[in-house]
């Protein structure tokens, strides 16, 4: 890669960071606020409210499927502008109250915009990161999503508690307008994505997804079931142990640990290779889940949060960076989309599927099982990629001058990220209540 600048925090990096951050703030703030809004405005059930919240995830996944194909026809700057141009009117559309069907459509519409935004920013940012600092740069860039998951719900709860939903909707539109402004300011040449060549013989499947990523993405999704269990069942487990207050801070501690550790992990990957990060983080993930399975006090739960933050919080970004290494530069967008799709599926459907075994195993058995999944992830990763890295050279097609490390969404990778209907909708609403609980605590402390 011909480095555009030796500085990591250059102008296009900052612009892409702000666009991603602002997009994530709108996504996660409304993810928290939209369910109570749907109940209060349309008097729907909690399951339907969960479906309303999760409809953006469906839109996001569909957008990611087609993002790789669209990059063959639009530049990164054009796609970023298009994403923001879709996002802004979708947020303005929340002002109208035309029924629950209309609200579902608007949520899907917003998800399309967020999905396109995430793919293009994650792919384009690699063009402005110095080659020797790729992993470190992606680690810093990924903090945009972490900050979005922290400030988005906090902002939504603060405004809806003291002002109104419609003021929140107007603020979301202003945020999207600012992001649209920054998208016009991007230097298209510096963030250009290698489009590659598509001929008539190229299948639609290959234009949308990258099959070479499937093994490592499936490994990541298997391990991510542990985090899915935290999303769907930690609140129930904590309630059974009378530890709801500590559970309110679990994801806050998790996010804080990631904020502190991810830049260090990125530098470690730059100095050595991904195996130096992935094996230890898998072990830390397993230890954290075992700690939760055996916990009897709030401090045991918070210890689990620290270990899972160090483990899975960095494992997912390391895998995302690794995914981009095994493909040529003109397949980077497809590889990024494929990774996100597997990640979303694990976090979206995992809580519901794992919930089916709770009556048999109990919560301690459930978290012990997913801890074992992380242990099994060690040989799985070794089989699909571990030996590939040798003397800092890859046996796969080289990661050439137009390629880079892609950033991992925590939203996607996040505590709110799931698709919901029926029982899954109820899981979503219960988890939303957990987020609301600790944000109310934060709001209360802020206003004292």
């Amino acid at each position: 890669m011909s480095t555009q600048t030796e500085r990591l925090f250059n102008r296009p990096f900052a612009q892409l960071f702000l666009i991603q951050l602002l997009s994530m703030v709108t996504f996660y703030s409304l993810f928290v606020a939209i369910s109570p809004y749907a109940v209060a405005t349309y008097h729907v059930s909690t399951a339907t409210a969960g479906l309303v919240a999760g409809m953006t995830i469906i839109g996001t996944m569909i957008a990611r499927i087609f993002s790789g194909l669209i990059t063959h026809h639009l530049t990164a700057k054009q796609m970023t502008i298009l994403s923001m141009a879709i996002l802004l009117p979708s947020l303005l559309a929340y002002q109208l109250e035309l029924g629950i069907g209309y609200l579902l459509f608007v949520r899907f519409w917003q998800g399309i915009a967020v999905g396109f935004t995430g793919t293009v920013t994650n792919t384009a940012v690699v063009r402005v990161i110095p080659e020797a600092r790729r992993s470190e740069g992606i680690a810093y860039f990924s903090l945009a999503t972490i900050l979005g998951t922290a400030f988005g719900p906090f902002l939504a709860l603060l405004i809806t508690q003291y002002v109104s939903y419609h003021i929140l909707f107007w603020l979301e539109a202003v945020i999207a307008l600012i992001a649209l402004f920054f998208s016009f300011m991007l230097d298209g040449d510096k963030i250009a994505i290698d489009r590659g060549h598509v001929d008539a013989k190229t299948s639609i499947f290959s234009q949308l997804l990258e099959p070479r990523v499937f093994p490592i993405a499936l490994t990541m999704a298997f391990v991510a079931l542990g985090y899915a269990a935290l999303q769907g069942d930690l609140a129930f487990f904590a309630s059974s142990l009378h530890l709801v207050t500590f559970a309110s801070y679990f994801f806050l501690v998790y996010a804080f640990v990631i904020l502190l550790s991810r830049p260090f992990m990125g530098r470690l990957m730059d100095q050595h290779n991904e195996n130096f990060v992935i094996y230890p983080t898998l072990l830390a993930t397993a230890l954290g889940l075992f700690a939760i399975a055996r916990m009897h006090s709030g401090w045991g739960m918070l210890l689990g949060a620290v270990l899972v933050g160090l483990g899975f919080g960095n494992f997912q970004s390391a895998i995302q960076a690794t995914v981009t290494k095994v493909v040529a530069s003109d397949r980077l967008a497809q590889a990024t989309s494929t990774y996100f799709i597997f990640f979303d599926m694990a976090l979206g459907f995992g809580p519901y599927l794992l919930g089916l075994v709770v009556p048999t195993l109990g919560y301690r058995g459930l978290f012990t099982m997913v801890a074992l999944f992380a242990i099994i992830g060690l040989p799985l990763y070794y089989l699909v990629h571990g030996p590939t890295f040798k003397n800092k050279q890859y046996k796969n097609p080289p990661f050439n001058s137009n390629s880079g490390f892609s950033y991992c969404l925590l939203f996607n990778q996040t505590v709110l990220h799931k698709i919901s209907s029926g029982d899954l909708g109820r899981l979503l609403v219960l988890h939303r209540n957990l987020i609301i609980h600790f944000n109310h605590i934060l709001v209360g402390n802020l206003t004292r």
Side-chain angles (χ1 to χ4, degrees), residues 344-362:
D344 287 346
M345 289 177 64
L347 299 189
F349 295 106
Y352 178 72
L353 297 175
L354 293 170
L356 298 177
V357 305
V358 171
T360 302
L361 298 180

Side-chain angles (χ1 to χ4, degrees), residues 207-403:
Q207 294 179 47
L208 299 177
L209 302 173
E210 176 48 64
R212 298 192 64 166
V213 171
F214 284 4
I216 195 168
L218 279 169
T219 301
M220 179 278 306
F222 181 71
V223 175
L225 290 173
Y227 189 67
L230 293 171
Q231 289 183 301
D233 294 288
L234 180 63
F236 299 110
F237 188 23
S239 178
S240 69
L241 298 175
H242 307 290
L243 298 174
V244 175
T245 300
F246 282 91
S248 300
Y249 291 100
F250 180 92
F251 293 106
L252 196 62
V253 173
Y254 170 85
F256 181 72
V257 170
I258 294 175
L259 285 170
L260 293 179
S261 63
R262 188 165 283 182
F264 166 76
M265 292 295 184
R267 287 193 294 271
L268 188 63
M269 283 186 65
D270 285 332
Q271 294 169 4
H272 299 282
N273 61 65
E274 59 269 22
N275 291 346
F276 276 75
V277 171
I278 291 176
Y279 289 123
T281 55
L282 278 170
L283 183 59
T285 301
L287 290 174
L289 292 170
F290 273 126
I292 293 168
R294 307 311 304 166
M295 69 181 179
H296 295 279
S297 69
W299 296 112
M301 183 187 298
L302 296 183
L303 173 62
V306 171
L307 290 171
V308 174
L310 286 171
F312 184 74
N314 290 291
F315 167 77
Q316 56 175 336
S317 60
I319 289 290
Q320 174 62 20
T322 303
V323 158
T324 65
K325 294 182 180 182
V326 300
V327 297
S329 63
D330 61 343
R331 299 293 297 171
L332 183 59
Q334 287 81 2
T336 303
S337 297
T338 302
Y339 171 86
F340 285 153
I341 290 167
F342 278 98
F343 189 62
D344 287 346
M345 289 177 64
L347 299 189
F349 295 106
Y352 178 72
L353 297 175
L354 293 170
L356 298 177
V357 305
V358 171
T360 302
L361 298 180
Y363 292 114
R364 294 193 187 278
L366 171 67
F367 285 103
T368 299
M369 180 182 74
V370 293
L372 291 174
F373 286 176
I375 294 295
I376 296 171
L378 289 164
L380 281 179
Y381 169 76
Y382 177 82
L383 289 173
V384 302
H385 183 78
T388 302
F389 192 94
K390 185 177 182 180
N391 298 325
K392 296 194 174 183
Q393 297 295 327
Y394 283 88
K395 299 177 183 178
N396 294 300
F399 193 50
N400 64 28
S401 64
N402 289 319
S403 301

